[in-house]
Amino acid sequence: MNIDFNKDNGLVPVVIQDNRTLQVLMLGYMNEEAFEKTKKEKTVTFFSRSKNRLWTKGEESGNFLRVESIDIDCDQDTLLIKVIPTNVVCHTGSFSCFGQKDSKGFLYELEEKIAQRIDNKTEDSYTYSLYQRGMNKMAQKVGEEAVELVIEAKDDNDLLFKNEAADLLYHLLILLKAKGFTLKDIEEILLNRDK
């Protein structure tokens, strides 16, 4: 990765994006030292222009940004870092410096919660109890929810229809986890079909 730190007095802008939801969380700046520290520690460290020093996001609040990937733009002077935030990102208490949490990426958060409940064997969780009942029961539940969605599609109650659609998606996520697949795997198939 050949980053051009010479264009703006040794600093490059860094766009921080939630790895699960793809929501933009904040913008910061890095010098070469901050970049190397970020790569090494897998936690985002900026160069604070106001403090004139390295600043690890979360060093005071505990709201760290755990690095998932680092990409560079075509001009080699801007970074995109995808992260898993440990809590809210903005100093105002907002999820993002650009506003509240965007629902468009929530399915990925839900997918992660489902995986955690299954992996951690959360006993009081409906998700884990369904998972324990086996593949046949999980597949049957997806089928039941699909039928209920079809029934509601023929009626005029939008709220019931949307709730059945949510139930179907939720149970499909459990089934995908049980089969060892993720939403990303399904997205890739859809992307390939779009070509």
Side-chain angles (χ1 to χ4, degrees):
M1 200 174 272
N2 296 319
I3 303 166
D4 187 352
F5 286 102
N6 297 318
K7 285 187 180 175
D8 192 14
N9 298 323
L11 298 177
V12 295
V14 181
V15 178
I16 301 295
Q17 187 178 37
D18 188 300
N19 190 59
R20 297 165 296 202
T21 67
L22 302 182
Q23 184 172 350
V24 173
L25 301 176
M26 67 177 292
L27 172 74
Y29 292 87
M30 285 185 183
N31 61 9
E32 197 164 357
E33 185 181 3
F35 176 70
E36 292 302 326
K37 186 173 192 249
T38 296
K39 279 196 326 183
K40 180 181 177 189
E41 297 179 1
K42 301 288 188 205
T43 300
V44 175
T45 294
F46 296 108
F47 180 82
S48 171
R49 295 173 298 166
S50 59
K51 299 173 186 174
N52 199 32
R53 66 170 177 85
L54 294 187
W55 165 65
T56 298
K57 174 71 174 136
E59 66 186 26
E60 293 174 13
S61 66
N63 299 338
F64 296 99
L65 301 172
R66 306 294 182 210
V67 175
E68 290 292 310
S69 68
I70 300 174
D71 293 302
I72 189 168
D73 77 335
C74 58
D75 293 326
Q76 298 181 309
D77 61 2
T78 303
L79 294 173
L80 171 65
I81 300 182
K82 292 182 182 171
V83 302
I84 301 293
T86 59
N87 205 332
V88 296
V89 173
C90 187
H91 71 281
T92 65
S94 179
F95 174 74
S96 161
C97 293
F98 298 99
Q100 291 299 319
K101 189 178 285 192
D102 185 347
S103 64
K104 290 180 183 170
F106 176 71
L107 282 179
Y108 287 93
E109 285 187 53
L110 180 59
E111 179 180 48
E112 188 173 297
K113 287 178 185 177
I114 287 169
Q116 287 172 351
R117 289 184 181 152
I118 290 171
D119 293 342
N120 296 336
K121 300 180 173 142
T122 308
E123 292 294 334
D124 61 346
S125 161
Y126 167 77
T127 301
Y128 182 62
S129 67
L130 178 60
Y131 178 80
Q132 279 188 302
R133 294 173 73 187
M135 190 60 66
N136 286 344
K137 188 60 182 173
M138 287 180 282
Q140 177 186 344
K141 194 65 180 157
V142 169
E144 288 171 9
E145 296 301 340
V147 169
E148 290 172 10
L149 180 63
V150 169
I151 291 168
E152 290 305 330
K154 295 177 174 236
D155 291 336
D156 291 326
N157 189 323
D158 292 345
L159 181 61
L160 288 177
F161 174 78
K162 290 188 291 185
N163 273 284
E164 292 302 338
D167 289 347
L168 177 58
L169 279 172
Y170 177 78
H171 287 90
L172 178 59
L173 288 173
I174 295 172
L175 186 60
L176 285 173
K177 167 67 176 167
K179 294 292 289 180
F181 299 112
T182 65
L183 276 175
K184 195 168 187 177
D185 295 321
I186 307 310
E187 272 185 347
E188 286 174 9
I189 289 173
L190 293 170
L191 281 169
N192 286 332
R193 288 181 183 177
D194 189 48
K195 290 180 181 172

